[in-house]
Amino acid sequence: MLKALENIGRIIIGIVQFAGEAVVLLGATIRSSILFFSRLGECINQMYLVGVQSLPVTLIFSMFSGMILALQIGIEFEKFDQIALLGSTVASAMTKEWGPMMTAIILTARAGSAMAAELSVMKVSEEIDALEVMSINPTRYLVLPRVVAMIFMCICLSILSSFIGTCGGYLVFKMQFSTDPSSLWILSDDSPSFHQYFASATSALDTIDLYSGLVKSAVFGLVIAIIACARGLLATKGAAGVGVAVRETVVNALIVIIVLNYIISSLFVMME
Amino acid sequence: MIRLIDVRKTLGDREVLKGLNLHVQTGDTYAILGPTGIGKSVALRHMVGLLRPDAGQVLIDGIDVAKCNRRQLLDLRKRFGMLFQSAGLFNSMRVFDNMALPLTENTQLSRGEIKARVAEALEWVGMSGTEQKMPAELSGGMKKRVGLARAIVTHPDIILYDEPTTGLDPIMAMNINNLILSLQEKVKATSVVVTHDMTSAFMISDRIGLLHQGSILEEGTTEEFKNSSNKTVQRFISGDGDLPED
């Protein structure tokens, strides 16, 4: 019993300690951001690694998320003869929730873990210490371009994800619920289903909904990058330490993202 | 001049340094000897501010490293060059970029001047022509040489060597020792070498100190150290039996 309490206490201390380290790193990153242009080249390189390389998986995920969403909601709406609302529901859900959330999950798994692995390998092979001894601030040199790239690409991919997800919803709308599935690929105003779906989708979105999605994406990008960099820079104990840094990055980032998602959603609901 | 005064440091639940006192004169080469895991590298890292002491002072020409803020520390470190145990080369960069990095980040030198400096340092360590190689293409000894070249490329006042010959075969270790000696002639820097290699310590240092149980047990010139009457020192030099534990 005492041992269990001791272990719980140790876990809590570890969480608080890491949260403190992450906040300190965030502060140092903000302070070093005045020197952003000295690392513009690396920032663009990171945008490619984080964003462009994550694009295919984000598109596939978003498309099918939109389709699944439309399928499940459409079945219920059809029972109440409210299928015309499908476009607005899918667009709203994708823009406010699933686009940013889906993007954040993909970037955590794909780019956040890679960041943590790269920095932790640099840490255990004394490369970070070498930077320090060379009088180069690792926060400015390594963390800042990664944070900026992650925030920017998280926003871009979220916008794209929301759009593609909504389009995915349209495919299901046409294939599953439309009276005229033959006009699936005819994306013109002559097609009543297309018009019906996207008119419903665009009418449902307010400016505040768009802000909600953008704010979430920016916050999620920041969270992923700071957690990944902090875990990487705090890595110890050789190869095992690299594994721990990657695993903890994914677990910590996902938990923080889901909690923050709820908090930000609540704040925007209160503002509406 | 480097002075460590009553430095204490605990890592985890182990007190590694228990009142370490050390004095390295300007221009001297000082070797910190001791068995693996005794805290030699920990002492070295205090000198360049990679670790801060729990108590005591680390003075570099009178400046207390532990009391420096971030900016002062970055300025102070411009006077240092350090060879890491694993060489510490950036694996994602070519040899040239590895070596040019401290120059591009901390000096106003032109591209041509940086190229010349890198070529000069690589020539000093016998690695000319490797500028375009990646660290993964180099052997352990070659990495140490490039690491050494990077440590001296900024023409530092103080050079720290963390286990310069560890993991190398005897011939390569001797090459590195000769290299350190010839570099000391060229750059005239104050040097601190952390090693458990007796041959290396006797060959390259002016003074030697044996780190034992968290502090310097015995210190002196190379000759004084060789002829010490201290049994622990003699046991360490001859490699005869274990040193007494805490």
Side-chain angles (χ1 to χ4, degrees), chain A residues 126 129, chain B residues 40-52 82 84 160 162:
Chain A
E126 298 182 307
D129 288 342
Chain B
K40 305 185 294 295
S41 297
V42 172
L44 200 70
R45 281 160 186 267
H46 277 86
M47 293 176 197
V48 72
L50 287 174
L51 289 173
R52 299 214 177 210
M82 184 165 178
F84 288 88
L160 308 178
D162 191 359

Side-chain angles (χ1 to χ4, degrees), chain A residues 158-190:
Chain A
S158 286
I159 294 169
L160 203 61
S161 169
S162 304
F163 176 72
I164 295 294
T166 308
C167 291
Y170 170 70
L171 292 181
V172 170
F173 177 70
K174 282 296 288 185
M175 290 188 294
Q176 206 76 28
F177 306 110
S178 171
T179 50
D180 181 18
S182 63
S183 64
L184 175 64
W185 303 110
I186 306 166
L187 302 179
S188 73
D189 283 352
D190 298 336

Side-chain angles (χ1 to χ4, degrees), chain B residues 105-149:
Chain B
E105 289 288 324
N106 297 325
T107 70
Q108 303 296 319
L109 294 177
S110 67
R111 188 77 182 159
E113 288 168 317
I114 290 173
K115 270 188 177 175
R117 278 272 195 105
V118 169
E120 175 194 52
L122 282 175
E123 191 191 330
W124 283 353
V125 300
M127 291 292 289
S128 294
T130 55
E131 283 92 337
Q132 296 309 313
K133 285 195 184 297
M134 297 298 285
E137 298 172 65
L138 305 175
S139 68
M142 289 162 94
K143 279 184 188 166
K144 289 256 174 167
R145 281 165 176 250
V146 173
L148 198 48

Side-chain angles (χ1 to χ4, degrees), chain B residues 71-120:
Chain B
R71 174 107 316 267
Q72 291 166 328
L73 202 54
L74 289 174
D75 284 339
L76 186 69
R77 282 174 180 160
K78 287 177 185 164
R79 299 178 53 197
F80 281 85
M82 184 165 178
L83 171 62
F84 288 88
Q85 199 169 342
S86 62
L89 297 178
F90 303 112
N91 286 313
S92 58
M93 292 184 188
R94 296 185 184 281
V95 167
F96 176 83
D97 297 320
N98 258 287
M99 297 192 52
L101 187 62
L103 298 173
T104 49
E105 289 288 324
N106 297 325
T107 70
Q108 303 296 319
L109 294 177
S110 67
R111 188 77 182 159
E113 288 168 317
I114 290 173
K115 270 188 177 175
R117 278 272 195 105
V118 169
E120 175 194 52

Side-chain angles (χ1 to χ4, degrees), chain A residues 4-20 231:
Chain A
L5 279 175
E6 204 175 289
N7 286 337
I8 291 167
R10 201 168 289 145
I11 290 167
I12 292 169
I13 289 169
I15 292 168
V16 172
Q17 214 164 10
F18 175 70
R231 281 290 176 200

